[in-house]
Amino acid sequence: MSQVVHITLEPSGLDPVDGIPTQQPWIHPHLVQSNDPIKGRQFRATGLIPKGARLLVDHPYAIIPVVDDPVHSDHLLCSSPACNCPVPRNLDRGSCPNACIADVVWCSSTCRDADRPRHEFECTWLKRFSGPIRAKRGEYDFGMLWVIVRLLATRQSELRHAPTIEKIPSASRWKLGWDAINSLCGSSDTWSHDQVRSWTVLVKKYLQSSPVLPHGLSTARILQLICQEEANSFGLYPRETGIFPLPNPPIDRGEQFAAAVYPTAAIANHSCLPNVSLRCLSFSGSPAHPNQMIHKPNDGGRMVFTASRHILPGEECCISYFDLTRFVDVASRREHLRKSFRFVCQCERCISEEPSEENIEWNAMPLMDL
Ligand SMILES: C[S@@+](CC[C@H](N)C(=O)[O-])C[C@H]1O[C@@H](n2cnc3c(N)ncnc32)[C@H](O)[C@@H]1O
C-alpha cells in the first residue's frame, strides 16, 4: 500500500474582493521559478521538499464547466470565482435572470449577487453567441472562446478594483493576476497557418472589443491570448491523473468536467517521470481517497500540487500533462505531446529512452528471419 502524508494545514488565501479571485497562490518556500534554455520557465526546488509536502495551491483566473448536457449534469460549477464549488442538480440552482445559458449557475443567491458585476461582462456575449458558436464550430471552440471571455472578465474586474488590488501585499518574485496571464508562454509560431487563420476568423467574428464585449484589447492581443490559453489551460477530471509510478490496474480518470487557466500552476513543465502530482482535497474539503493522487481542483477550483516523492535541492519540479497509462513507449508519448501540446518532450525519461543512432539504423532495415 502506498504511503501518503496528509498535510492538514490548509494554506489560506486572502478574502476575495467582490467576487473576483484576488487570493494569492500559496507557494512552498523551497520552490522557485527559473529558466531552462529549451523548456522556458520552470519550477525548481532550492531545498529538500519531502514526499507528500504541498508545493503549490493556485486559484483559477478563469474556469468553465465542460459538460454535454448542462440542464441534467451534476458537474456544473458555481459561476462565482470566489466559490467555484460543484452545484448538484438537486440543489435549487440559481440561474441567470437574463437566461443567458444553462451552463451558468450559482449555488446560492449570495454567490449570484456577489458575481453580478463579473457575470454582466459575459452575459450578453453568452446569450448572443453561444448558440451560433456551438452550432457552427462545436463544443471545443465554444469552450475555448468562453475561457477567453472569462479571462477578460476577470481582467475587467481587476481593472475596476485596481486601487484595492494594489494594496494586497504581493510575493514580489511571483507575478499575479493579469500580469501573470501576460507572462504565459504561447505564440502563433507554434501553430499551423490553418489553425491560426481559423482562430483569427473566430476572434474577428466573436471576440472583437465592442459594447457586447468591452475589453479594449487589439485583435492581435486576443489571438495571442488564444495561443496562451491553448498552451496553458488545464483539463479537470473527477479521478486521478498524473500518478507516478503508474497504478496497476490503470485507473480511468473519468469525463472532463471543467477547463481552467491557473496563473502560477501554468509554470509547471511536463515530465514523463513526474515528481509532482496534482493531488487535491475532495470538493467537501476532506481527502476523498487517502492514498490516491487526484487531478482536480478542491474548493474554489484551487489546484494543488503535491510532491509524489522526496525532491532534492536543484531538481526541477514537474507534473504530467497527460494520463501516463495511455501512452507508454517514448515514441507514442512524444507523438501525443507533439500533437496535443505542440512540443517535443525533453524530459529525462524521453531523453534516456531515445533510440540510439545505431538502433534507428537497425530499425530502418527490413526484418530478417534469423
Ligand atoms: C504550461 S507551459 C509550462 C511553462 C513554460 N515553460 C513557460 O515558459 O511558461 C507549457 C510549455 O512549456 C514547454 N515544456 C513543458 N514541458 C516540456 C518538456 N518536457 N520538454 C520541452 N518543453 C516543455 C513547452 O514549450 C510547452 O508548450
Side-chain angles (χ1 to χ4, degrees):
M1 201 174 113
S2 63
Q3 193 206 344
V4 170
V5 178
H6 292 293
I7 309 292
T8 48
L9 252 188
E10 185 69 8
S12 63
L14 300 177
D15 283 340
V17 180
D18 282 0
I20 65 162
T22 57
Q23 298 102 321
Q24 298 188 22
W26 181 89
I27 300 164
H28 191 285
H30 289 164
L31 194 65
V32 294
Q33 181 189 314
S34 66
N35 253 288
D36 176 87
I38 296 172
K39 300 183 204 165
R41 298 184 304 164
Q42 60 179 191
F43 283 129
R44 213 166 257 293
T46 55
L48 175 75
I49 301 181
K51 178 178 175 179
R54 196 165 288 182
L55 263 73
L56 174 75
V57 181
D58 200 12
H59 302 263
Y61 197 82
I63 184 166
I64 59 152
V66 175
V67 291
D68 287 338
D69 178 3
V71 176
H72 298 106
S73 176
D74 273 337
H75 293 311
L76 286 181
L77 303 174
C78 174
S79 287
S80 166
C83 177
N84 286 150
C85 73
V87 191
R89 205 169 355 127
N90 58 11
L91 198 87
D92 188 14
R93 292 170 164 177
S95 50
C96 170
N98 189 30
C100 59
I101 54 170
D103 312 53
V104 169
V105 294
W106 294 274
C107 64
S108 68
S109 53
T110 314
C111 273
R112 190 189 55 214
D113 294 347
D115 190 30
R116 196 178 45 78
R118 189 212 59 80
H119 177 62
E120 270 174 6
F121 182 87
E122 68 176 6
C123 184
T124 315
W125 183 88
L126 285 173
K127 189 155 182 135
R128 183 175 300 179
F129 292 129
S130 59
I133 299 171
R134 280 178 149 147
K136 287 184 196 147
R137 305 287 302 228
E139 279 302 312
Y140 185 88
D141 279 351
F142 170 68
M144 179 191 72
L145 296 180
W146 190 14
V147 172
I148 300 294
V149 170
R150 287 211 156 167
L151 288 168
L152 295 170
T154 311
R155 171 180 173 269
Q156 211 62 27
S157 304
E158 241 182 68
L159 291 174
R160 243 197 333 269
H161 290 86
T164 324
I165 283 171
E166 272 162 21
K167 276 187 215 141
I168 296 170
S170 74
S172 54
R173 284 174 304 136
W174 303 95
K175 295 198 169 171
L176 300 172
W178 184 249
D179 205 16
I181 300 299
N182 272 333
S183 307
L184 297 178
C185 68
S187 82
S188 53
D189 303 343
T190 328
W191 302 91
S192 69
H193 288 308
D194 282 353
Q195 183 62 80
V196 174
R197 210 172 307 123
S198 160
W199 286 340
T200 307
V201 170
L202 287 180
V203 173
K204 290 192 172 152
K205 240 175 151 173
Y206 302 115
L207 293 178
Q208 303 258 47
S209 189
S210 70
V212 173
L213 200 67
H215 55 72
L217 296 173
S218 67
T219 306
R221 178 66 192 99
I222 300 296
L223 181 63
Q224 190 202 1
L225 198 54
I226 291 183
C227 298
Q228 291 174 305
E229 183 275 337
E230 286 295 285
N232 291 280
S233 59
F234 282 73
L236 306 176
Y237 297 84
R239 285 189 291 280
E240 306 93 323
T241 60
I243 309 168
F244 203 82
L246 300 177
N248 189 8
I251 299 161
D252 178 12
R253 64 184 176 178
E255 290 290 308
Q256 182 179 348
F257 68 88
V261 177
Y262 294 89
T264 311
I267 296 169
N269 287 325
H270 164 85
S271 171
C272 300
L273 206 61
N275 50 13
V276 174
S277 67
L278 301 98
R279 170 185 174 229
C280 307
L281 301 179
S282 73
F283 279 118
S284 63
S286 61
H289 305 284
N291 59 353
Q292 291 175 354
M293 303 299 176
I294 300 177
H295 177 158
K296 71 176 185 183
N298 66 357
D299 298 309
R302 292 175 299 175
M303 178 56 75
V304 182
F305 286 178
T306 305
S308 50
R309 58 172 171 79
H310 290 330
I311 302 176
L312 301 177
E315 263 193 83
E316 182 176 3
C317 303
C318 289
I319 58 174
S320 171
Y321 287 3
F322 64 90
D323 184 348
L324 285 163
T325 56
R326 288 187 56 213
F327 303 95
V328 178
D329 61 286
V330 61
S332 60
R333 293 197 312 268
R334 277 194 160 160
E335 180 60 4
H336 175 63
L337 284 164
R338 195 187 56 74
K339 270 197 183 148
S340 307
F341 297 90
R342 317 292 299 179
F343 66 87
V344 176
C345 186
Q346 299 294 343
C347 76
E348 55 178 312
R349 182 172 166 205
C350 283
I351 290 173
S352 72
E353 291 175 13
E354 265 170 0
S356 63
E357 299 276 316
E358 211 174 89
N359 282 345
I360 293 171
E361 275 166 30
W362 275 108
N363 288 340
M365 291 180 77
L367 282 176
M368 290 177 288
D369 284 330
L370 295 174

